[in-house]
Amino acid sequence: MYTQALDSLGKECEPGEGADEARLEARFQSRVDADEKIEPKDWMPEAYRQTLIRQISQHAHSEIVGMLPEGNWISRAPTLRRKAVLIAKVQDEGGHGMYLYSAAETLGISRAEMLQQLLTGAAKYSSIFNYPTLTWADVGAIGWLVDGAAIMNQIPICRCSYGPYARAMVRICKEESFHQRQGFEIMLSLARGTSAQHEMAQDALNRWWWPSLMMFGPSDAQSRHTEQSMRWKIKRFTNDELRQKFIDITAPQAAFLGLSIPDPHLSWDEGSGHFRFGAIDWSEFQAVLKGNGPCNRERLEARRKANDEGAWVREAAAAYALKQRARASAHASAEAVTAARAQSAATQGEHS
Amino acid sequence: MAASPSDDWPLFEVFIRSRSGLEHKHVGSLHAADARMAVEHARDVYTRRQEGVSIWVVRSTDIIASDPEEADALFEPARDKVYRHPTFYSIPDEVKNL
């Protein structure tokens, strides 16, 4: 669900050295220009590979860490229906992480290495998951806003030039729609409920609105690598274009809910056909990315704990698989011996 | 920090038959300790919405693939054989059922 434009290319993109490299790059670019998909074993520039590894693994990590804030509410969901829905949603996020790790692996990085990068804090994940889920309304706000922003980001990636990433994204986007709708439904129930419930929904919107806008990444003026990513068709729209689109569709939804968006500068601009909005506090975004959001340490701690506490299960499964293989091969060689004996007995029988 | 699963667990490619009568189609890959676990994981990862009625898993290392670099040479022989297609033949309009 939760890709975020973190604006990072793997390496500075130096043009390839040598005539051969230049020829391959030219051919690669012309394939991308012709909207052909690039597949794992095809030649690709090293910087393209590194950019994708970083983007896809960050995306995968975001899915996995994204299970935590919502998982927090599974045991306290207000009804059995809400609980079943939330479990299914969190399970989907886990599945999305798996699709994406599997897509990243086709680029030559191992899953172990990616997990290690997450657990050591070397890899980034979407800043949005470093905010806490304080009330049940936050579960609604996450579905409506965070998944909504994620969908906006992800739909263009379904047409990404790298085949395995594009295919994973098609699958993810199909599943994502329910996430956003269930979130809106929660918001609607609360907004139409008691005044305390309405207030809870408003409070959740107040806290999630700006972090959701930050999910689209730094403004285009600050985004140094957008141009290269667009040329490679990893990215199809700029951060600001997607953010604007998100605001344009979300503002009327908030009005329908009877909730107010916490931005005094938000207003409809007839001339441009878009909503104008206030300045985003990018210092907050940078602080969260650097590890100083409200929950950064807690999130990583939870991942490490899960990894450590699950170690014995993985070891047991590996030992069991090893034992089964040993048994199967012992059984096979015993059968071979029996067959050879039978064969030799039969041959002797013929001769006697 | 404890080693992560995929250090030990091999990679499997997953193929799903979406409904009876259709072929199995590649959907992705996953790590598992053995083939049985791979089928169980594939159920959870790739068929949460009844996407399949049958699952195949195969160790990724057991797949032998053609080389994309050699695709031109490999598929070139079929390129000039348009006579393998029915539209290559001109039949007068008044002839029916051909």
Side-chain angles (χ1 to χ4, degrees):
Chain A
M1 94 198 267
Y2 306 114
T3 181
Q4 177 167 48
L6 292 171
D7 190 40
S8 48
L9 285 183
K11 287 178 180 173
E12 286 305 313
C13 324
E14 297 299 331
E17 281 172 30
D20 200 38
E21 187 86 355
R23 183 185 58 82
L24 286 167
E25 282 213 29
R27 185 155 158 254
F28 171 85
Q29 190 60 49
S30 71
R31 291 187 61 197
V32 171
D33 292 343
D35 276 327
E36 271 184 51
K37 293 287 181 221
I38 306 302
E39 294 295 339
K41 291 191 170 162
D42 295 348
W43 187 90
M44 61 187 83
E46 195 48 30
Y48 176 85
R49 183 187 298 277
Q50 293 304 329
T51 300
L52 277 171
I53 286 179
R54 187 169 302 197
Q55 181 172 332
I56 301 172
S57 64
Q58 277 173 355
H59 191 167
H61 299 326
S62 302
E63 302 284 354
I64 299 302
V65 177
M67 297 167 80
L68 298 169
E70 290 181 294
N72 182 34
W73 280 91
I74 288 177
S75 62
R76 285 169 290 159
T79 65
L80 195 55
R81 175 179 180 269
R82 295 286 189 211
K83 186 189 288 230
V85 168
L86 190 55
I87 290 172
K89 180 177 190 299
V90 172
Q91 196 183 11
D92 271 357
E93 311 305 356
H96 296 175
M98 295 301 121
Y99 307 154
L100 289 161
Y101 282 129
S102 131
E105 276 179 290
T106 65
L107 290 156
I109 185 171
S110 74
R111 190 164 311 203
E113 198 178 331
M114 289 186 274
L115 281 176
Q116 212 58 24
Q117 289 172 351
L118 173 65
L119 295 176
T120 57
K124 287 181 181 144
Y125 56 86
S126 185
S127 58
I128 196 86
F129 301 113
N130 292 315
Y131 292 87
T133 41
L134 303 178
T135 71
W136 170 251
D138 288 15
V139 175
I142 288 181
W144 172 39
L145 300 173
V146 176
D147 289 270
I151 291 172
M152 196 62 82
N153 257 332
Q154 289 174 171
I155 285 183
I157 310 178
C158 294
R159 295 187 294 126
C160 162
S161 59
Y162 188 58
Y165 192 25
R167 290 191 287 274
M169 206 52 63
V170 168
R171 188 178 282 274
I172 289 172
C173 284
K174 266 188 205 163
E175 300 185 350
E176 207 69 64
S177 169
F178 121 66
H179 297 182
Q180 192 188 14
R181 289 171 66 108
Q182 66 87 36
F184 189 83
E185 195 195 69
I186 291 173
M187 294 302 275
L188 192 57
S189 308
L190 292 173
R192 289 178 174 175
T194 64
S195 64
Q197 288 170 326
H198 186 95
E199 207 173 298
M200 191 194 274
Q202 181 62 57
D203 169 62
L205 173 57
N206 292 348
R207 284 180 290 107
W208 290 93
W209 176 253
W210 291 104
S212 298
L213 296 190
M214 293 175 199
M215 284 180 70
F216 295 94
S219 74
D220 295 350
Q222 303 297 317
S223 181
R224 290 183 298 136
H225 299 304
T226 290
E227 201 189 327
Q228 177 63 79
S229 277
M230 289 182 85
R231 195 156 54 236
W232 279 333
K233 294 191 180 169
I234 293 174
K235 201 169 179 167
R236 297 277 183 161
F237 298 99
T238 70
N239 299 350
D240 286 337
E241 283 169 343
L242 290 169
R243 188 168 11 247
Q244 182 67 57
K245 222 167 146 186
F246 175 74
I247 293 168
D248 287 345
I249 66 158
T250 309
Q253 293 169 352
F256 182 88
L257 291 171
L259 300 176
S260 46
I261 287 175
D263 177 358
H265 300 287
L266 191 83
S267 63
W268 175 251
D269 178 31
E270 195 65 54
S272 65
H274 293 294
F275 280 89
R276 289 171 182 274
F277 56 99
I280 293 172
D281 178 7
W282 290 111
S283 63
E284 176 181 326
F285 176 72
Q286 294 303 338
V288 176
L289 273 193
K290 286 201 176 81
N292 299 319
C295 299
N296 294 58
R297 275 172 288 274
E298 188 186 327
R299 299 291 183 238
L300 272 191
E301 215 34 67
R303 287 312 313 151
R304 288 187 192 128
K305 186 162 172 269
N307 189 61
D308 291 347
E309 291 180 355
W312 71 272
V313 178
R314 300 192 296 273
E315 283 158 21
Y320 178 76
L322 200 64
K323 189 173 80 180
Q324 292 300 106
R325 270 203 298 281
R327 277 191 186 162
S329 78
H331 185 70
S333 49
E335 278 201 334
V337 169
T338 314
R341 279 193 190 137
Q343 176 75 34
S344 116
T347 318
Q348 278 172 12
E350 275 168 28
H351 289 298
S352 61
Chain B
M1 205 164 299
S4 37
S6 44
D7 280 339
D8 307 311
W9 291 2
L11 189 66
F12 288 82
E13 299 298 322
V14 181
F15 300 80
I16 306 269
R17 183 199 295 285
S18 55
R19 50 193 168 80
S20 134
L22 295 181
E23 64 277 62
H24 287 77
K25 207 172 144 196
H26 184 245
V27 293
S29 61
L30 48 76
H31 290 272
D34 57 26
R36 200 177 118 195
M37 186 194 272
V39 170
E40 284 163 3
H41 283 182
R43 193 271 314 259
D44 292 340
V45 176
Y46 292 106
T47 65
R48 288 190 303 281
R49 288 173 177 75
Q50 299 181 289
E51 288 94 337
V53 295
S54 164
I55 297 170
W56 285 353
V57 295
V58 57
R59 291 276 288 257
S60 305
T61 48
D62 287 343
I63 289 187
I64 293 137
S66 65
D67 181 354
E69 297 296 312
E70 290 169 7
D72 282 352
L74 191 62
F75 299 109
E76 186 276 332
R79 205 170 294 151
D80 58 356
K81 297 178 179 59
V82 283
Y83 45 83
R84 284 179 169 158
H85 298 277
T87 46
F88 177 74
Y89 304 91
S90 44
I91 306 288
D93 285 349
E94 52 269 39
V95 183
K96 300 298 174 201
N97 301 320
L98 260 182

